[in-house]
Amino acid sequence: MTKKIFAKYDKMLIPQLPRVVFPGRIIVILTPGEAERAVDFLLSHPLLGIDTETRPSFKRGTLHKVALLQVATEEICFLFRLNHIGMAPAVVRFLEDKTVAKVGLSLHDDLHMLHKLGDFKAGTFIDIQDCVKCLGIEDLSLQKLYANFFGLRISKNQQLSNWEADVLNDKQKQYAATDAWTCIHLYKEYLRLAASGDYELIAPEPADGQDHATGHHPQNNEHTPKQS
């Protein structure tokens, strides 16, 4: 069956959708030694989802550094508490790795913030936002993309919580893991749609109110892992 996807997804529909949560194991990394073992495990996988979290600032002119780097496989998500371990050698090794594709959203921003913690030369990263533009999708937030592709809702309730707390609570851990894990699913579905052309792009309704849905297929949207 041809999948219908929207160039612009109506955010008013999102609260009505069933919620998606990461179903796997979540491991919090608090020491450089734990980071070494986690990175060894992660780099044995062909595809990883990544994201970062930063403590929100509610005071003008005050900015915090990245507190958390979350990296997920299909079954396990590691939460690297960078406010505890900083840019540990294993974290640098992971970020500089060129053998495993790491997928996420707005990676330019994430890498920019991570560079503020220490120097590294970014390895192989794929930004899903760059990919889905090839399909004609204009809405690029993780929540809208996941709703558009899968009809499921990613909760953002913990986004503005304190990511530098002494201990992350279960809701924070679930939120962080879900964000990284869903990136894997988004990227795999993008690859499927781009390869098969089995989708119909629903264009935004024109100002005159007439229905305007068109089929659109990419002519050359192969998106391979790149060096950032």
Side-chain angles (χ1 to χ4, degrees):
M1 180 183 295
T2 299
K3 172 174 280 193
K4 291 185 178 181
I5 56 176
F6 296 87
K8 283 184 168 291
Y9 191 87
D10 186 354
K11 67 179 180 180
M12 300 300 291
L13 299 176
I14 294 177
Q16 307 168 25
L17 299 175
R19 183 183 174 191
V20 60
V21 295
F22 176 62
R25 183 183 178 193
I26 301 173
I27 301 175
V28 179
I29 303 300
L30 292 168
T31 69
E34 292 173 348
E36 289 286 352
R37 293 187 290 273
V39 168
D40 286 344
F41 174 82
L42 288 166
L43 294 183
S44 69
H45 290 72
L47 182 66
L48 301 170
I50 71 167
D51 195 14
T52 65
E53 304 298 338
T54 301
R55 177 183 175 183
S57 173
F58 302 104
K59 184 177 180 181
R60 191 167 190 168
T62 300
L63 296 175
H64 299 287
K65 294 183 178 180
V66 177
L68 189 72
L69 169 66
Q70 56 261 47
V71 186
T73 70
E74 287 279 11
E75 296 85 22
I76 299 178
C77 184
F78 292 90
L79 307 182
F80 296 84
R81 300 213 63 190
L82 301 183
N83 58 313
H84 286 263
I85 65 174
M87 200 61 88
V91 174
V92 173
R93 175 162 63 94
F94 173 78
L95 294 172
E96 293 188 337
D97 170 75
K98 297 180 180 180
T99 65
V100 177
K102 307 160 195 70
V103 297
L105 272 78
S106 298
L107 289 178
H108 179 272
D109 294 336
D110 285 332
L111 293 172
H112 176 73
M113 293 297 291
L114 287 165
H115 271 115
K116 293 185 177 182
L117 294 180
D119 292 331
F120 63 92
K121 186 175 181 180
T124 303
F125 292 88
I126 301 171
D127 196 320
I128 297 169
Q129 290 182 335
D130 294 336
C131 298
V132 299
K133 288 177 184 177
C134 299
L135 303 181
I137 295 175
E138 300 176 35
D139 287 324
L140 301 178
S141 75
L142 179 63
Q143 188 181 52
K144 282 188 176 182
L145 284 174
Y146 211 82
N148 200 357
F149 274 27
F150 300 109
L152 295 171
R153 171 177 56 90
I154 297 175
S155 173
K156 307 305 288 185
N157 289 342
Q158 296 300 312
Q159 187 174 28
L160 298 180
S161 61
N162 182 10
W163 295 102
E164 295 180 8
D166 290 340
V167 178
L168 296 179
N169 62 46
D170 288 342
K171 290 183 179 180
Q172 286 178 303
K173 289 187 283 188
Q174 189 73 69
Y175 170 90
T178 298
D179 274 10
W181 173 69
T182 51
C183 287
I184 298 175
H185 290 194
L186 278 174
Y187 182 63
K188 286 185 173 181
E189 182 65 359
Y190 156 75
L191 290 177
R192 186 188 74 80
L193 294 175
S196 67
D198 188 23
Y199 67 93
E200 178 186 1
L201 181 71
I202 309 300
E205 186 173 306
D208 60 10
Q210 295 178 356
D211 185 33
H212 186 234
T214 59
H216 171 84
H217 303 293
Q219 295 181 359
N220 183 17
N221 59 359
E222 182 179 359
H223 204 283
T224 55
K226 63 183 178 182
Q227 310 303 317
S228 296

